[in-house]
Amino acid sequence: MLLAAITTVFLAAEKQWMMLDWKPKRPDMLIDPFGIGKIVQDGLVFRQNFSIRSYEIGADQTASIETVMNHLQETALNHVGSAGLLVDGFGSTPEMCKKNLIWVVTRMQVVVDRYPTWGNVVQVDTWVSASGKNCMRRDWLVRDSKTGEVLTRASSIWVMMNKVTRRLSKMPEEVRGEIEPYFMNSEPVIAEDSRKLVKLNGSSAEFVRKGLTPRWSDLDVNQHVNNVKYIGWILESAPLPILETHELSSMTLEYRRECGRDSVLQSLTAVSENGTDEIECQHLLRLEDGSEVMRGRTQWRPKNAKISGNVGQIPADTA
């Protein structure tokens, strides 16, 4: 019996080594397998590859919007880390840590031309630029690593908040000195959608989901709910027929307030159709007392709609 047990362990170990020594039949299947990024374009752009895992796809057999957003967040943090500026918290620089400052996102625009599928490898480029006196803009360009086809474009605005007082802060000159050398002088990768986001209420919203609460795993290292979780919450009130027949093609989000582990939220959605196959939704995420957490607008296209792909380029630094 002992010999049989030893043989079983040996065979299991041999199988594991065979799996580790496995080579893909197609050389394009596994690029940058450990997700280690690199700095490109004169040290101003961070690039990282991601393989789409089986647990990152949804009912449509494509990557979920949360997966896309997690890739954006991961590359942003790794960009700061690769520059040697990541000390504590989400992207806090040494000077920010001294002053108890953290980054918070206030606005996000995302356009998805095509969602990757299981086994695809996506290449994510990200860079930062100045936005006014006290803000920073971060852009992303997501492409198919094999063909160069643009899959997603995203642009965001970030400000600083004191993590003790939870109040917004001006950008100290010491912090500006740390990050300015990494700024690209370029236009946003997406033209700004300047349309005002509608404030919904109980009478204007057609669909309402109440009693949403964060789990412990929804909190980030700064002890507030990760901004990607908000996207899942606003989709909680999206009507099922839209989810079944359409896919999210773009969204504009304005983050108004943070929420923590004890927050109880409501998700409100209003649907408008413009006579075409595309659908637009207005969203509001609020606390039970009515305080706004996030406003949003999403646009949806019919599933399997033909999208003309293109090969995207990172905007040149015009400095």
Side-chain angles (χ1 to χ4, degrees):
M1 182 176 290
L2 178 61
L3 179 60
I6 293 174
T7 302
T8 301
V9 171
F10 175 79
L11 291 174
E14 185 180 34
K15 182 178 180 181
Q16 290 295 320
W17 280 110
M18 290 176 64
M19 291 175 65
L20 288 173
D21 196 43
W22 176 83
K23 298 293 189 300
K25 295 180 179 179
R26 286 168 39 204
D28 61 292
M29 283 182 64
L30 201 61
I31 302 173
D32 194 9
F34 301 107
I36 300 172
K38 60 183 179 180
I39 295 291
V40 298
Q41 196 158 323
D42 299 325
L44 298 177
V45 176
F46 180 78
R47 174 173 294 169
Q48 187 169 1
N49 289 343
F50 295 91
S51 178
I52 304 302
R53 313 297 182 181
S54 60
Y55 52 80
E56 294 175 320
I57 62 175
D60 296 327
Q61 302 182 23
T62 59
S64 65
I65 186 63
E66 288 89 351
T67 294
V68 174
M69 300 301 292
N70 281 327
H71 289 168
L72 303 189
Q73 180 172 275
E74 181 72 7
T75 51
L77 289 173
N78 290 341
H79 182 197
V80 178
S82 68
L85 296 176
L86 186 62
V87 177
D88 186 28
F90 262 18
S92 296
T93 67
E95 287 296 330
M96 289 175 66
C97 288
K98 291 178 184 179
K99 303 177 188 303
N100 288 319
L101 297 175
I102 58 176
W103 289 110
V104 292
V105 61
T106 61
R107 185 176 176 87
M108 175 83 72
Q109 278 186 254
V110 182
V111 175
V112 181
D113 292 327
R114 182 174 69 82
Y115 288 91
T117 59
W118 179 28
N120 287 170
V121 177
V122 297
Q123 176 181 284
V124 184
D125 289 337
T126 185
W127 60 95
V128 291
S129 306
S131 178
K133 187 176 180 181
N134 293 301
C135 303
M136 179 182 73
R137 190 186 81 239
R138 177 173 287 279
D139 290 335
W140 293 269
L141 187 64
V142 183
R143 290 174 286 198
D144 184 300
S145 67
K146 181 181 179 182
T147 66
E149 175 195 357
V150 173
L151 305 178
T152 302
R153 291 163 288 140
S155 188
S156 59
I157 300 296
W158 297 75
V159 298
M160 291 184 182
M161 182 178 77
N162 187 295
K163 67 179 180 181
V164 177
T165 66
R166 316 309 284 186
R167 294 180 179 273
L168 298 184
S169 169
K170 293 182 178 180
M171 185 182 296
E173 288 303 317
E174 296 87 346
V175 176
R176 191 184 309 277
E178 287 179 314
I179 63 178
E180 266 192 347
Y182 301 95
F183 282 173
M184 281 187 66
N185 186 15
S186 63
E187 294 297 318
V189 72
I190 303 175
E192 181 182 359
D193 185 349
S194 58
R195 292 178 296 162
K196 184 177 180 180
L197 293 176
V198 176
K199 179 180 179 179
L200 298 178
N201 54 45
S203 59
S204 59
E206 304 161 81
F207 305 92
V208 180
R209 179 73 181 273
K210 298 181 179 181
L212 300 172
T213 57
R215 300 170 299 177
W216 177 256
S217 60
D218 296 328
L219 303 180
D220 62 24
V221 297
N222 294 318
Q223 295 299 304
H224 61 210
V225 175
N226 187 299
N227 67 79
V228 176
K229 180 63 180 179
Y230 293 1
I231 298 169
W233 277 337
I234 66 170
L235 298 182
E236 284 285 340
S237 60
L240 185 58
I242 291 180
L243 300 179
E244 291 176 334
T245 60
H246 288 66
E247 65 180 8
L248 182 65
S249 58
S250 68
M251 60 184 179
T252 301
L253 309 171
E254 287 183 0
Y255 294 85
R256 303 276 177 121
R257 178 188 299 266
E258 64 175 340
C259 61
R261 63 181 181 181
D262 297 324
S263 300
V264 181
L265 301 100
Q266 300 175 349
S267 176
L268 292 75
T269 295
V271 179
S272 60
E273 301 184 28
N274 56 11
T276 69
D277 290 335
E278 296 192 351
I279 297 174
E280 183 174 279
C281 295
Q282 305 292 336
H283 304 275
L284 175 66
L285 193 64
R286 69 184 183 186
L287 299 177
E288 282 193 321
D289 64 6
S291 301
E292 292 187 53
V293 174
M294 186 178 73
R295 292 186 190 184
R297 177 172 51 246
T298 58
Q299 292 179 301
W300 303 75
R301 62 173 171 253
K303 291 181 179 179
N304 301 318
K306 297 294 184 181
I307 306 297
S308 56
N310 52 44
V311 177
Q313 300 294 328
I314 303 170
D317 186 358
T318 57

